[in-house]
């Protein structure tokens, strides 16, 4: 029976970062895929990158059919991504079929429009450069010359059939009017194409969010839903394949120091080497100091440490570290520290995520710290921030590197932040820093709330900060309500009375 089954559809790796993950291997080979999106959704960038990646990564030649922009404009516009189209043309790897309107050309409608001549030009170009990939940008420009939907459907079917006969893997770009609604402008394009992909550029809470969705992949599996993507200068489109993340990283029992001897004891001997740690606290409670000690502890053992700072400048961080007895300058000179300071507002969360992953790949650190994760909430929608957190933590876990994140609570006395809501379930350890008001004096408290896979100290311990860093002391006695931001002193008599309430239930 299995002898008569047709062979499964093969896929062509596109080379576009993340795209081959969400398509389970690339575009169906020898078929036509419709790329639909509103103005500014990056259809042309996708089309050019599809051909450019083929040339650079697979040595596949390509033909670009342009109906709107002139070849000169496309060469110039795409240069910012580092794609030298003119050089590819000289090498015989790229050919344009220019069907863009000419300024001196008068449009005369005389009889029905025929694509025969255009298809002949495309076929000639395909044979000339021996192309395996074709991009047509965009269909809307030629469909305006057709009288009705029936004609559009017939001509589109004719284009798709002709490309299939040429044996090329092709993409056709098409316009749509709204981000959600009809797939394409004429309502027939999606029924003719074997595969349909939608690019979106949605405005949410005054923030743009780009996503890609595979709507149809005839006869072949793919990942479902919308995936965020960004467009990076010098890189092009980069997709964040969240659903392709796998929990396959190994686990280690090796402990590393937090940089504070007493905190190591509270954590049962230090953090695990491949764990994600969240440090939560209000402004001024000592989060940046915890980060500084974490880095100093690693650098003292010759480990490479990478710090992403989103709230303080490089000079501020160096000054603060010096004030706690830590020499960041020396660590940098020895090659054990790399510090990257950036305002969250300079880019979107997808750009930050891609950039951070690239920095991690380049520096190959043993420890990573982000101070503070909460600052990135300002530039992201709720969904975008959640995707950023999941994307970053999963990447660090996959690298089996220790990652320490700080999160700022919304009020001075505590409370849960949006950051904590998104990251608390994926972290292995949570350390909470809190202000404790007692008798007109503000003190600081620290507790290890969570330590996955290890016993740990459950007490809330008082700590102080001086020129030598953090000093963790004894537990707060007879005080309750610290973590919820409402510390109250309880007399010993009351503690004894509460202790007797449950004795009967326990049979004491």
């Amino acid at each position: 029976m299995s002898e008569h089954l047709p062979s499964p559809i093969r896929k062509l790796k596109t080379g576009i970062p993340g795209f081959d993950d969400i398509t389970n291997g690339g575009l169906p080979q020898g078929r036509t895929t419709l790329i639909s999106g509103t103005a500014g959704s990056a259809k042309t960038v996708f089309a050019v990158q599809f051909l450019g990646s083929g040339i650079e990564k697979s040595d596949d030649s390509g033909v670009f059919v342009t109906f709107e922009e002139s070849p000169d404009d496309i060469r110039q516009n795409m240069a910012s991504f580092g794609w030298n189209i003119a050089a590819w043309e000289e090498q015989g790897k790229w050919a344009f079929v220019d069907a863009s309107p000419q300024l001196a050309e008068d449009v005369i409608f005389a009889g029905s429009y025929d694509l025969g001549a255009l298809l002949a030009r495309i076929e000639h170009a395909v044979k000339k450069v021996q192309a395996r990939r074709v991009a047509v940008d965009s269909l809307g420009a030629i469909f305006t010359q057709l009288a009705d939907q029936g004609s559009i459907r017939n001509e589109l079917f004719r284009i798709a059939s002709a490309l299939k006969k040429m044996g090329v893997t092709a993409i056709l770009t098409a316009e749509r009017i709204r981000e959600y609604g009809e797939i394409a402008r004429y309502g027939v394009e999606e029924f003719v194409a074997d595969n349909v992909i939608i690019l979106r550029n949605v405005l949410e809470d005054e923030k743009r969010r780009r996503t890609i969705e595979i709507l149809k992949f005839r006869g072949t599996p793919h990942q479902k839903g919308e995936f965020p993507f960004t467009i990076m200068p010098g890189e092009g489109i980069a997709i964040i394949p969240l659903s392709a993340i796998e929990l396959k990283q190994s686990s280690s029992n090796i402990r590393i120091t937090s940089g504070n001897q007493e905190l190591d004891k509270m954590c049962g001997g230090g953090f695990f080497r491949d764990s994600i740690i969240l440090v939560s606290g209000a402004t001024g409670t000592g989060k940046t100091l915890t980060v500084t000690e974490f880095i100093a502890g690693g650098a003292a053992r010759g480990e490479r440490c990478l710090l992403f700072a989103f709230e303080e400048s490089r000079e501020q961080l160096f000054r603060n570290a010096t004030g706690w007895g830590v020499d960041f300058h020396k660590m940098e000179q020895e090659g054990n520290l790399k510090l990257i300071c950036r305002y969250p507002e300079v880019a979107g969360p997808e750009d930050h995520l891609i950039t951070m992953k690239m920095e991690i790949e380049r520096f190959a650190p043993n420890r990573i710290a982000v101070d503070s994760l909460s600052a990135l909430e300002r530039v992201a929608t709720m969904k975008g921030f959640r995707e950023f957190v999941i994307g970053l933590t999963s990447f660090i876990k996959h690298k089996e590197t220790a990652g320490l994140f700080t999160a700022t609570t919304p009020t001075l006395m505590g409370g849960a932040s949006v950051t904590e809501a998104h990251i608390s379930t994926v972290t292995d350890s949570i350390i909470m820093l809190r202000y404790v008001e007692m008798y007109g004096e503000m003190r600081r408290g620290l507790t290890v709330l969570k330590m996955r896979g290890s016993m740990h100290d459950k007490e809330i311990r008082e700590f102080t900060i001086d020129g030598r860093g953090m000093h963790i002391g004894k537990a707060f006695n007879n005080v309750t309500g610290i973590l919820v931001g409402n510390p109250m002193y309880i007399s010993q008599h009351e503690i004894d009375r509460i202790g007797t309430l449950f004795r009967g239930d326990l049979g004491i």
Side-chain angles (χ1 to χ4, degrees), residues 50 113 119 137 140 153 180 259 264 322 337 360 373 392 455:
F50 170 62
Y113 188 78
L119 291 174
D137 183 50
R153 189 176 187 128
Y180 294 92
D264 286 347
T322 304
L337 172 64
I360 292 169
L373 203 57
L392 183 60
M455 297 299 291

Side-chain angles (χ1 to χ4, degrees), residues 322-381:
T322 304
W324 295 318
V326 176
D327 191 348
F328 273 181
H329 281 291
K330 186 182 175 187
M331 292 181 199
E332 262 196 340
Q333 288 169 357
E334 292 173 347
N336 291 329
L337 172 64
K338 184 170 184 180
L339 186 58
I340 298 171
C341 300
R342 193 169 291 147
Y343 257 120
E345 282 75 8
V346 300
E350 296 84 10
D351 301 70
H352 282 300
L353 177 57
I354 299 292
T355 306
M356 292 167 79
K357 287 166 77 170
M358 290 167 63
E359 293 289 353
I360 292 169
E361 290 281 10
R362 275 196 287 262
F363 190 66
N366 304 102
R367 297 180 178 217
I368 299 162
V370 179
D371 185 33
S372 109
L373 203 57
S374 304
L376 290 162
E377 287 177 28
R378 299 199 300 263
V379 297
T381 61

Side-chain angles (χ1 to χ4, degrees), residues 149 152-153 175 182-192:
Q149 283 198 341
I152 292 172
R153 189 176 187 128
E175 297 168 354
E182 294 80 7
I183 305 302
R185 182 185 291 270
Y186 296 96
V188 298
E189 297 94 321
E190 65 268 29
F191 298 108
V192 178

Side-chain angles (χ1 to χ4, degrees), residues 106-288:
D106 291 329
V107 178
I108 301 172
F109 291 95
S112 58
Y113 188 78
D114 185 13
L115 288 173
L118 175 67
L119 291 174
R121 290 175 64 193
I122 296 174
E123 188 169 6
H124 174 72
V126 167
K127 288 179 179 174
K128 182 182 173 185
V129 299
Q130 297 182 328
R132 291 189 69 200
R133 306 182 182 209
V134 171
V136 180
D137 183 50
S138 85
L139 292 175
I142 51 173
F143 288 168
T144 55
Q145 303 183 50
L146 299 175
D148 51 54
Q149 283 198 341
S151 302
I152 292 172
R153 189 176 187 128
N154 290 338
E155 292 301 328
L156 184 56
F157 185 75
R158 189 177 170 191
I159 294 172
S161 299
L163 291 170
K164 189 175 281 187
K165 281 182 183 174
M166 293 177 207
V168 296
T169 304
I171 59 172
L172 312 175
T173 68
E175 297 168 354
R176 62 192 309 222
I177 301 168
R178 289 182 290 273
E179 298 294 355
Y180 294 92
E182 294 80 7
I183 305 302
R185 182 185 291 270
Y186 296 96
V188 298
E189 297 94 321
E190 65 268 29
F191 298 108
V192 178
D194 293 318
N195 319 297
V196 178
I197 294 172
I198 299 175
L199 302 179
R200 294 191 176 93
N201 187 20
V202 181
L203 183 65
E204 292 179 8
D205 300 330
E206 301 180 357
K207 303 176 185 81
R208 285 283 175 188
R209 181 170 177 268
R210 293 183 184 276
T211 62
I212 183 170
E213 180 184 8
I214 301 165
L215 191 70
K216 181 171 83 170
F217 249 33
R218 197 171 273 164
T220 176
H222 59 88
Q223 304 283 319
K224 310 293 190 301
E226 292 185 57
F227 298 88
F229 76 91
T230 186
I231 303 172
M232 303 287 289
E235 300 287 336
I237 289 175
I239 299 163
I240 302 168
L242 290 175
S243 69
I245 296 171
E246 296 178 325
L247 280 170
K248 287 187 175 178
Q249 69 272 12
S250 60
S251 186
S252 170
N253 287 322
I254 297 174
R255 302 266 188 167
I256 60 170
T257 179
S258 66
N260 186 299
Q261 200 171 4
E262 201 60 35
L263 182 57
D264 286 347
K265 290 179 185 174
M266 292 180 71
C267 294
F271 303 136
F272 287 116
R273 188 182 62 183
D274 51 3
S275 61
I276 300 290
I277 306 113
L278 175 68
V279 178
S280 163
T283 179
T285 46
K287 298 187 298 301
T288 303

